[in-house]
Amino acid sequence: MSVLEYLLAALFVAAGAGTQACIGIGMGLIAGPVLVVIDPTAVPGPMLMIAGGINLRNAIADRASLNKSALRRHLLAAPIGLVAGLALLSALSDRSLAIAVSLFVLLAVAVQAIGTRPLDGRLAEYAAGAGTAFSSSVAAVPGPVYAVFASHWQPAALRATLATYMLIVGTVIISAQAVMGDFGLEQLWLALTLMPAVALGLPFGRWLRPRLAGPRFRMIVLGMAATSASVVLIREIVNG
């Protein structure tokens, strides 16, 4: 990676960090497409590791709003999504899976946009856990699926619960990649060199947060989910 490429990557990581610190998702959407062009091995392992810095910040800062019962159900359902994702990865191409996940997210966002909200309760919480683990393992997009189920939550609750969940699930995914030989010293070094950019993005998140309170927060979260899914979908179609 050249100096110019590093500065460009750091800029987008900082922007992604600020956005994720504010609304709970956004790192993968903003920084992912740039990183994968500069270094294809940056996604998903290093990207998940970089996002882990913001997830740790959100988990600690918003811990008082953590939805513990929902998190418990998310984690109970996570193995289903992870196993399903790994099974499909061995049976289908990455491209087919990414397209399928993107279409699912866009459909779910469209359902909410016309006024239908996902069911509350235990079943929805299990579905959010399994679906987020699945999309993380096959397409490296944890936020959009989760946002579909939790966009009506209070902002702090979404940030804290998703961040805590992804700290655990992201670690499992990276560990699995390491065992399979897809995450090594090169990927670890890439993630570590971009970590300082995460800290640079935090002031942007603090500035943005009070400007996204109330109904606007839900619109931004759903918009980010739809945009993220669209980016993945367009990328796979173009690359196909």
Side-chain angles (χ1 to χ4, degrees), residues 85-149:
L86 293 174
L88 285 176
L89 275 174
S90 65
L92 300 175
S93 69
D94 292 351
R95 179 174 178 270
S96 298
L97 288 167
I99 290 174
V101 171
S102 299
L103 289 174
F104 165 76
V105 172
L106 290 172
L107 176 62
V109 171
V111 169
Q112 289 204 61
I114 62 176
T116 303
R117 195 177 75 182
L119 295 176
D120 291 325
R122 296 182 179 182
L123 184 59
E125 291 167 357
Y126 285 126
T132 301
F134 176 79
S135 66
S136 298
S137 60
V138 302
V141 284
V145 173
Y146 196 87
V148 166
F149 290 94

Side-chain angles (χ1 to χ4, degrees), residues 26-50:
M27 177 67 83
L29 166 64
I30 295 173
V34 174
L35 286 181
V36 79
V37 170
I38 294 174
D39 187 344
T41 67
V43 177
M47 190 74 263
L48 288 172
M49 188 172 178
I50 294 168

Side-chain angles (χ1 to χ4, degrees), residues 12-197:
F12 278 84
V13 167
T19 304
Q20 184 151 324
C22 177
I23 68 174
I25 65 173
M27 177 67 83
L29 166 64
I30 295 173
V34 174
L35 286 181
V36 79
V37 170
I38 294 174
D39 187 344
T41 67
V43 177
M47 190 74 263
L48 288 172
M49 188 172 178
I50 294 168
I54 292 297
N55 286 332
L56 181 61
R57 181 260 170 216
N58 285 351
I60 294 173
D62 294 311
R63 62 187 180 278
S65 300
L66 176 67
N67 189 330
K68 295 179 181 178
S69 62
L71 177 62
R72 244 185 340 261
R73 296 184 184 103
H74 295 341
L75 293 174
L76 286 172
I80 298 174
L82 291 172
V83 170
L86 293 174
L88 285 176
L89 275 174
S90 65
L92 300 175
S93 69
D94 292 351
R95 179 174 178 270
S96 298
L97 288 167
I99 290 174
V101 171
S102 299
L103 289 174
F104 165 76
V105 172
L106 290 172
L107 176 62
V109 171
V111 169
Q112 289 204 61
I114 62 176
T116 303
R117 195 177 75 182
L119 295 176
D120 291 325
R122 296 182 179 182
L123 184 59
E125 291 167 357
Y126 285 126
T132 301
F134 176 79
S135 66
S136 298
S137 60
V138 302
V141 284
V145 173
Y146 196 87
V148 166
F149 290 94
S151 64
H152 58 287
W153 288 12
Q154 289 298 314
L158 189 154
R159 286 192 301 266
T161 311
L162 176 57
T164 305
Y165 176 77
M166 281 309 301
L167 282 173
I168 299 170
V169 171
T171 300
V172 172
I173 293 173
I174 292 172
S175 299
Q177 277 202 303
V179 170
M180 294 184 293
D182 295 326
F183 188 94
L185 291 177
E186 181 182 349
Q187 288 74 36
L188 176 62
W189 177 246
L190 175 62
L192 290 177
T193 56
L194 288 171
M195 281 295 184

Side-chain angles (χ1 to χ4, degrees), residues 204-222:
F204 173 65
R206 284 194 295 270
W207 174 85
L208 192 62
R209 184 174 294 186
R211 291 165 172 78
L212 296 180
R216 188 180 300 177
F217 176 81
R218 181 174 183 272
M219 293 173 59
I220 292 294
V221 170
L222 289 177

